[in-house]
Amino acid sequence: MSETRGRYDFCIGLVLAMSSSIFIGGSFILKKKGLLRLARKGSMRAGQGGHAYLKEWLWWAGLLSMGAGEVANFAAYAFAPATLVTPLGALSVLVSAILSSFFLNEKLNLHGKIGCLLSILGSTVMVIHAPQEEEVETLNEMSHKLCDPGFVVFATLVVIVSLILIFVVGPRHGQTNILVYITICSVIGALSVSCVKGLGIAIKELFAGKPVMSHPLSWILLLSLIVCVSTQINYLNRALDIFNTSIVTPIYYVIFTTSVLTCSAILFKEWQHMAADDIIGTFSGFLTIIVGIFLLHAFKDVNFTLANLPLSLRKDERAANGALLSTYDCFNQDEESSACLGEIQSTESLSARRNGSLSVF
């Protein structure tokens, strides 16, 4: 009976995790559609600091979709193990990329597809090898964790870096560099997740009948969460308004996941109990993420597809289509190279005579 119940819970958790990815991936598309509608109406764009999206129903539908996805994601942890639920969050990247090609006419080149795949694989490996959290049962225990010098230094650095990006780097490079606004969302998101965990503990204590409302940490966490989420929404909208959704989604997922794992490791000191294989797996996943981000960002404007690969990889297709020997193949065959060169020179001579050239070399 217990085995049947365990399998039933596993299936529920799996469905919730996959539903979460669908809702979150679709939310990016809905928000982007809403922002594009506002741009066509001539409203001030979110990338320029406008907030007209608050009057657009498609944007609110995207926000509600993201909220539903987050609720489903949190609920999935109650039924399925974290090693299953967390990696499945990467499916939102694939959902967003597929839906953007259908509804936004955005295309990923071959480099982007490989980079997206590497980002997902690297994030999955990193999450699988990440250490487990310490159990924190009360707000008093959480307050001790938050006052730890290591976390205080981390939180201070996050705030300083975010302020520099918002007030110094953002106005200069935010419109051209995709990493600026996404980095703001991601590092602030690490703090918001910590606030959510603390509020979750407060809610458990509230149901247990403890005086949570009189504890100052509850209100500090709530206000911090409001500030963090508002900042995330603002700068994520700017990134979606300016850059390609298929690029924003995976980069945001990768940097956000890395930031959250780093914050959790510092807050709960999980790295002290990690095995050697987990350490190697974590760093391997992180390096894979870096490679994926590079492919996504460095080659996003290059029009490169499978059709551009060397013709030698497509000989069977050329034979089936009865294609003629190309100039590329002619240069790679020694016995026919001279004939091919002669043909090219004859073509150049004819072109030169047509253009009125006096001599041809």
Side-chain angles (χ1 to χ4, degrees), residues 44-53 175 234 238:
M44 180 178 289
R45 304 182 64 172
Q48 299 172 345
H51 299 282
Y53 57 84
Q175 301 286 330
N234 183 24
R238 295 191 183 193

Side-chain angles (χ1 to χ4, degrees), residues 186-209:
S186 301
V187 297
I188 293 295
L191 297 181
S192 67
V193 170
S194 300
C195 295
V196 168
K197 292 180 179 179
L199 289 175
I201 296 173
I203 292 174
K204 289 181 180 178
E205 288 195 313
L206 180 63
F207 286 132

Side-chain angles (χ1 to χ4, degrees), residues 14-317:
L14 179 62
V15 171
L16 286 171
M18 296 182 67
S19 301
S20 170
S21 298
I22 294 174
F23 280 121
I24 293 176
S27 70
F28 286 96
I29 307 303
L30 291 171
K31 287 184 177 181
K32 183 71 173 184
K33 292 283 286 185
L35 294 172
L36 290 175
R37 286 183 59 175
L38 291 174
R40 287 194 295 268
K41 294 178 181 178
S43 303
M44 180 178 289
R45 304 182 64 172
Q48 299 172 345
H51 299 282
Y53 57 84
L54 295 175
K55 300 179 181 179
E56 176 59 50
W57 70 270
L58 273 176
W59 184 88
W60 282 105
L63 183 64
L64 292 175
S65 178
M66 179 170 286
E70 293 297 342
V71 170
N73 187 59
F74 288 139
Y77 283 100
F79 296 95
T83 53
L84 169 71
V85 177
T86 307
L88 283 179
L91 292 177
S92 63
V93 179
L94 298 179
V95 171
S96 178
I98 293 173
L99 292 179
S100 63
S101 65
F102 284 101
F103 298 102
L104 300 178
N105 295 322
E106 296 179 356
K107 303 297 181 182
L108 272 176
N109 59 15
L110 186 59
H111 292 99
K113 293 175 182 178
I114 296 175
C116 184
L117 178 62
L118 288 175
S119 298
I120 295 172
L121 292 177
S123 299
T124 303
V125 171
M126 193 171 180
V127 170
I128 289 175
H129 289 279
Q132 297 294 321
E133 289 182 351
E134 284 185 10
E135 290 294 333
V136 180
E137 300 292 341
T138 65
L139 281 177
N140 289 329
E141 293 179 2
M142 188 67 182
S143 63
H144 288 304
K145 293 289 183 182
L146 294 174
C147 293
D148 184 81
F151 180 77
V152 171
V153 171
F154 173 78
T156 303
L157 289 176
V158 167
V159 173
I160 293 174
V161 170
S162 299
L163 291 176
I164 292 175
L165 290 174
I166 291 172
F167 295 107
V168 179
V169 181
R172 298 178 182 178
H173 306 288
Q175 301 286 330
T176 56
N177 193 324
I178 192 174
L179 295 177
V180 175
Y181 291 150
I182 295 180
T183 302
I184 296 173
C185 300
S186 301
V187 297
I188 293 295
L191 297 181
S192 67
V193 170
S194 300
C195 295
V196 168
K197 292 180 179 179
L199 289 175
I201 296 173
I203 292 174
K204 289 181 180 178
E205 288 195 313
L206 180 63
F207 286 132
K210 296 182 179 180
V212 174
M213 305 302 292
S214 60
H215 201 298
L217 183 60
S218 301
W219 298 103
I220 293 174
L221 290 174
L222 181 60
L223 293 176
S224 300
L225 180 62
I226 293 173
V227 172
C228 291
V229 171
S230 300
T231 305
Q232 283 182 265
I233 292 174
N234 183 24
Y235 285 95
L236 181 58
N237 282 331
R238 295 191 183 193
L240 288 171
D241 188 41
I242 298 171
F243 302 104
N244 192 307
T245 306
S246 299
I247 305 297
V248 171
T249 307
I251 295 179
Y252 173 70
Y253 170 78
V254 168
I255 301 179
F256 174 75
T257 302
T258 305
S259 300
V260 170
L261 289 175
T262 303
C263 180
S264 298
I266 295 174
L267 183 60
F268 299 105
K269 292 185 171 56
E270 301 148 333
W271 296 88
Q272 296 178 356
H273 308 289
M274 284 186 68
D277 56 341
D278 289 329
I279 295 176
I280 294 173
T282 300
F283 280 102
S284 298
F286 183 68
L287 292 176
T288 305
I289 291 170
I290 293 176
V291 174
I293 290 177
F294 177 78
L295 289 175
L296 281 168
H297 186 55
F299 302 103
K300 61 186 178 68
D301 296 325
V302 177
N303 185 17
F304 185 75
T305 62
L306 288 173
N308 303 124
L309 291 174
L311 292 176
S312 58
L313 299 178
R314 304 173 67 236
K315 287 182 179 179
D316 294 338
E317 182 181 348

